[in-house]
């Protein structure tokens, strides 16, 4: 369908943090010493050396540490462990054990979290989730055993993550045994709080991100201290400025927002997020204009200065640490390639000092390496350049693997050749960029027609709508879309047409729209003014027309690749989806932990008045003191689905608090129904999610977008697609990365705990 070439760049790979780069102690594992290259090798030794080189090159491709056992049996186990099926199996076990929280008590298996509409969810019998969990724990134990064996005891002792892995598995098994012994009736399952660790320890990028956050904490703490001082200072000034006076008409600000210290702190903390602005200052502002300066000054200093300073600090520290992380990854790649060369250089008859590798041996190794086909082809192509000489030296060997530092660019196949002059001219017309512009204009006209019909029918019910007009309009547009697809297929050929992703998107939606339109004609006959909008088939006429309209609006996204800035933004978003898996994973971990803690603290804390036994009728006089219908409160806003009664509801509530829109309603409700100390939980979540994580996310977006913008400044619209293929974390820092020297590589290889190279 398309060919591949490699352009300067870098690919993202899996990282492995087990085993240090500077370990000096050797474990009691079998050790392999590569002796002098003058030693004649037998068949078994040659096979072992080839197997070692294959694994080391695979480590280099995936940026993995090479500090593992290198005997034949261990290498077979190592390759099996890092095979796709094993890694997918381990990932599936991690996903299953995390998803158990949705099924365990309190179960989330109900259609609604609103206590007014929620039915009793299905509760699994005792032993159901426990059996699944134990199966996953057995898989994790095997994973730990394999990792420990492959890196050796000495490296195992130095890995804090593996020691933590051991503790979490052991504690989970003990807690599991307690659950089973108590017939699954325990109130707290502490192991639920530890389950996210399984996700963390399996991702090297998550570990690196945690290190980045840890490294940033001192700078963040200094700004947070300044922010706390700012908050306390203005709280005291506010309590003095809006103190209670004799005239009750002037006490509204005091009564609502500055009644006591906790209320004052909460009011200004929420104002820091702008969630209660301008409500918090209206009572005072209505008395005198000058009172607004207090709130404006607080917001300018806190919200626009200190909070944005936090973003700048996180961005700066994140960029610095990610650069170091990328530098470490490059060293790992160079180490793996250098070690593979040193091992293969012992297979020739030349003296060791010459350090040559036979080209045939390199080709034999590359045929066994598990890697993407276009990288293999590129490396083999480079290796064939030295076929006349028969061997390559260290620099040449390193150079052929520079192809790994280039990313794949898809090249579109050539246009089909037509003999007829008429067909050739039609091909020129239909392959011209003008046809795409015309198609975008037609799509825009279709969307405008739909919007016009929607505006005209906004107040009409389904029975009052005349859908035959929009049906005829859509049919005409769909026929043009089909014509456009056919003409592009004629001009580019089916391979060339499908080599463009936007063409695949366009063709799929066009065919789907055509099928739906034909279904309407077959089901509801030819469009006419006598169409019955409420007539039922598999779907009613209105439902099918509505579905077509939604697909047409969605199809309008085809214009994105044709507008440079829009294409750049869209490609940045796509890259974020691909490159931010580690950041999303840590955010998932944080959500998981806070949701579990929230269920422990607040499950069943807020109940709808209809569930309260003290209520005898619907009059407000019978409602308990904790139930408030004051404007803006949890009860008045009917936030009943936002609760901690099950895991899924807790996740949604935490998301709503992270957005900080109206989050003061949750602060107020849970402080009234539980205790004032409950605010600490929500403030901690706000600091973790909204302050820390959102700013980190902004830093990543800035880094990604700025890099793309700088490189696309002089590009045309069609070049933006190439830039998207080139983007990777390593590429963003390519100019700042320093290549390791030969002395540094030899020093690292001499410290390998299992592979003893003799130079």
């Amino acid at each position: 369908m398309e060919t591949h070439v490699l352009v300067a760049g870098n690919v993202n790979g899996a990282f492995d943090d087990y085993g240090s780069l500077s370990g000096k102690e050797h474990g009691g594992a079998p050790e392999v010493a590569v002796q002098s290259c003058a030693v004649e090798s037998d068949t078994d030794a040659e096979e072992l050396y080839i197997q070692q080189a294959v694994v080391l090159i695979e480590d280099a491709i995936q940026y993995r540490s090479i500090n593992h056992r290198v005997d034949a049996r261990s290498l077979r186990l190592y390759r099996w462990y890092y095979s796709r099926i094993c890694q997918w199996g381990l990932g599936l076990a991690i996903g299953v054990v995390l998803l158990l929280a949705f099924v365990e008590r309190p179960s989330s298996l109900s259609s609604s979290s609103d206590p007014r509409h929620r039915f009793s969810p299905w509760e699994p019998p005792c032993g159901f989730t426990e059996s699944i969990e134990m199966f996953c724990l057995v898989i994790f134990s095997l994973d730990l055993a394999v990792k420990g064996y492959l890196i050796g005891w000495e490296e195992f002792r130095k890995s804090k993550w593996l020691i933590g892995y051991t503790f979490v598995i052991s504690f989970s098994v003990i807690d599991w045994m307690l659950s089973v012994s108590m017939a699954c009736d325990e109130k707290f399952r502490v192991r639920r709080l530890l389950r996210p660790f399984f996700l963390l320890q399996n991702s090297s990028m998550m570990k690196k991100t945690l290190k980045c956050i840890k490294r940033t904490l001192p700078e963040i703490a200094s700004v947070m201290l300044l922010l706390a001082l700012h908050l306390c200072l203005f709280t005291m000034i506010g309590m003095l400025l809006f103190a209670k006076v004799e005239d009750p008409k002037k006490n509204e600000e005091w009564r609502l927002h500055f009644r006591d210290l906790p209320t004052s702190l909460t009011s200004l903390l929420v104002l820091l997020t702008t969630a209660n602005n301008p409500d918090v200052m209206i009572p005072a502002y209505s008395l005198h204009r000058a009172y607004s300066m207090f709130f404006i000054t607080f917001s300018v200093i806190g919200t626009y200065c200190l909070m944005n300073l936090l973003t700048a600090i996180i961005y700066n520290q994140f960029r610095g640490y990610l650069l170091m992380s990328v530098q470490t990854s490059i060293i790992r790649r160079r180490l793996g390639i250098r070690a593979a060369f040193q091992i293969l250089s012992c297979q020739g008859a030349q003296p060791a000092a010459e350090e040559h590798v036979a080209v045939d041996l390199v080709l034999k190794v590359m045929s066994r390496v598990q890697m993407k086909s276009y990288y293999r082809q590129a490396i083999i192509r480079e290796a064939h350049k030295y076929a006349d000489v028969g061997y390559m030296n260290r620099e040449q060997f390193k150079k052929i693997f520079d192809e790994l530092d280039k990313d794949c660019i898809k090249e579109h196949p050539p246009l089909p050749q037509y003999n007829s002059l008429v067909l050739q001219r039609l091909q020129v017309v239909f392959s011209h960029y003008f046809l795409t512009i015309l198609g975008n204009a037609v799509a825009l006209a279709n969307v405008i027609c739909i919007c016009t019909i929607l505006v005209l029918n906004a107040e009409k019910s389904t029975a009052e709508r005349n859908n035959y007009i929009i049906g005829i309009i859509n049919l005409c547009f769909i026929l043009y879309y089909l014509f456009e697809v056919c003409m592009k297929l004629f001009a580019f050929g089916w391979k060339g047409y499908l080599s463009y992703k936007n063409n695949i998107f366009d063709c799929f939606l066009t065919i789907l729209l055509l099928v739906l339109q034909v279904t309407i004609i077959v089901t509801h006959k030819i469009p006419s003014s006598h169409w019955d909008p409420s007539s039922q088939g598999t779907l009613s006429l209105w439902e099918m027309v509505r579905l077509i309209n939604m697909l047409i609006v969605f199809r309008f996204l085809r214009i994105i690749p044709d507008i440079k800035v829009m294409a750049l933004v869209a490609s940045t978003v796509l890259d974020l989806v691909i490159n931010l898996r580690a950041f999303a994973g840590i955010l998932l971990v944080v959500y998981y932990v806070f949701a579990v803690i929230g269920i422990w603290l607040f499950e069943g804390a807020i109940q709808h008045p209809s569930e309260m036994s003290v209520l005898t009728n619907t009059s407000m006089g019978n409602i308990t003191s904790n139930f408030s219908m004051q404007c803006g409160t949890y009860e008045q806003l009917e936030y009943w689905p936002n609760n901690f009664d099950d895991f899924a509801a807790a996740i949604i509530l935490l998301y709503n608090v992270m957005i900080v829109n109206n989050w003061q309603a949750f602060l107020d409700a849970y402080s009234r129904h539980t205790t004032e100390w409950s605010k600490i939980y929500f403030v901690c979540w706000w600091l973790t999610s909204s302050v820390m994580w959102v700013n980190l996310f902004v830093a990543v977006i800035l880094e990604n977008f700025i890099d793309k913008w700088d490189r696309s400044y002089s590009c045309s619209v069609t070049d933006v697609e190439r830039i998207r293929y080139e983007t990777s974390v390593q590429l963003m820092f390519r100019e700042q990365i320093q290549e390791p020297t030969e002395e540094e590589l030899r020093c690292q290889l001499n410290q390998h705990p299992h592979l003893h190279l003799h130079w």
Side-chain angles (χ1 to χ4, degrees), residues 369-396:
V369 174
Q370 294 181 359
M371 61 191 305
K372 293 182 179 179
S373 60
Y374 52 83
Y375 285 124
R376 189 199 315 277
Q377 294 169 5
I379 293 173
I380 291 176
R381 187 167 54 248
E382 290 296 315
H384 275 301
K385 294 180 180 179
Y386 306 99
D388 294 338
V389 181
Y391 58 85
M392 60 183 71
N393 59 29
R394 185 180 69 244
E395 290 301 322
Q396 292 169 340

Side-chain angles (χ1 to χ4, degrees), residues 484-731:
E484 182 184 6
V485 169
C486 294
M487 292 305 99
K488 285 187 176 181
L489 281 170
F490 162 77
F492 294 100
W494 70 271
K495 290 185 177 180
Y497 180 83
L498 296 179
S499 66
Y500 294 88
K501 291 185 176 180
N502 55 322
N503 283 346
I504 298 176
F505 171 80
D506 192 19
C507 182
F508 173 75
L509 287 182
T510 300
I511 294 175
L512 187 58
L513 286 169
L514 182 64
V515 170
L516 288 173
Q517 191 66 47
V518 171
T519 303
I520 287 180
I521 295 176
V522 171
T523 306
H524 302 279
K525 308 305 178 184
I526 302 299
S528 66
S529 58
H530 301 291
W531 267 7
D532 181 8
S534 60
S535 62
Q536 298 290 328
T538 305
L539 292 174
S540 68
L541 176 61
W542 166 239
E543 289 173 339
M544 298 189 73
V545 170
R546 183 169 55 180
L547 180 58
I548 287 180
N549 290 341
M550 287 189 289
L551 290 175
I552 289 174
V553 173
F554 185 61
R555 184 183 178 276
F556 188 64
L557 295 177
R558 57 169 277 169
I559 70 168
I560 291 178
D562 301 318
I563 302 176
K564 179 180 176 181
V565 176
M566 191 180 295
L568 196 63
V569 173
S571 63
T572 302
V573 173
L574 290 177
D575 281 338
L576 290 175
V577 174
I578 298 172
N579 294 330
L580 287 186
R581 288 175 294 183
F583 300 93
I586 294 183
L587 184 59
L588 173 64
V589 167
V590 175
Y591 262 99
Y592 200 99
V593 171
F594 271 86
V596 171
I597 296 175
I599 292 173
W600 289 352
L601 295 176
F602 307 117
E603 181 186 357
I606 298 181
Q607 296 182 354
H608 189 263
S610 61
E611 298 180 349
M612 298 179 184
S613 59
V614 297
L615 295 177
T616 57
N617 53 55
T618 58
S619 65
M620 292 301 295
N622 293 328
I623 296 180
T624 62
S625 60
N626 280 338
F627 182 74
S628 172
M629 283 298 289
Q630 182 180 347
C631 183
T633 60
Y634 181 98
E635 294 83 0
Q636 185 270 328
L637 295 171
E638 296 191 343
Y639 281 178
W640 305 111
N642 293 283
N643 53 61
F644 287 99
D645 293 347
D646 59 69
F647 189 80
I651 294 291
I652 300 301
L653 190 150
L654 290 175
Y655 171 78
N656 291 333
V657 174
M658 185 181 76
I659 301 301
V660 300
N661 184 31
N662 244 13
W663 71 300
Q664 69 274 15
F666 301 108
L667 287 173
D668 170 69
Y670 280 94
S671 63
R672 284 189 287 105
H673 287 270
T674 56
T675 173
E676 286 286 338
W677 294 103
S678 64
K679 294 179 180 179
I680 296 178
Y681 170 86
F682 291 98
V683 172
C684 288
W685 169 247
W686 168 72
L687 290 173
T688 304
S689 61
S690 187
V691 175
M692 172 69 74
W693 198 253
V694 171
N695 283 321
L696 184 61
F697 188 71
V698 169
V700 177
I701 292 178
L702 286 174
E703 190 62 42
N704 201 351
F705 182 78
I706 290 173
D707 174 75
K708 279 179 172 289
W709 183 265
D710 290 341
R711 291 190 292 122
S712 66
Y713 185 76
S714 58
C715 295
S716 63
V717 174
T718 55
D719 292 330
V720 174
E721 183 180 6
R722 296 177 63 90
I723 293 173
R724 183 168 66 82
Y725 283 112
E726 296 176 19
T727 300
S728 67
V729 176
Q730 284 76 18
L731 182 58

Side-chain angles (χ1 to χ4, degrees), residues 299-310:
S299 295
V300 168
I301 297 175
T303 305
Y304 298 109
C305 293
L306 296 180
M307 295 297 288
N308 288 323
L309 183 60
L310 269 177

Side-chain angles (χ1 to χ4, degrees), residues 200 341 384 386 394 406 428 442 463 469 480 516 574 684 739:
L200 285 176
F341 173 82
H384 275 301
Y386 306 99
R394 185 180 69 244
K406 301 176 183 179
V428 172
V442 172
I469 298 178
Y480 173 80
L516 288 173
L574 290 177
C684 288
E739 287 288 335

Side-chain angles (χ1 to χ4, degrees), residues 58 116 184 198 212 215 235 304 315 317 324 344 375 390 414 429 454 478 486 538 543 562 606 608 630 638 647 748 754:
E58 289 176 349
R116 297 170 297 178
C184 312
F198 299 128
C212 174
R215 185 173 179 264
T235 296
Y304 298 109
Y315 171 75
Q317 293 298 322
M324 290 192 298
L344 293 177
Y375 285 124
V429 172
L454 289 176
I478 290 171
C486 294
T538 305
E543 289 173 339
D562 301 318
I606 298 181
H608 189 263
Q630 182 180 347
E638 296 191 343
F647 189 80
Q748 296 285 359
H754 304 290

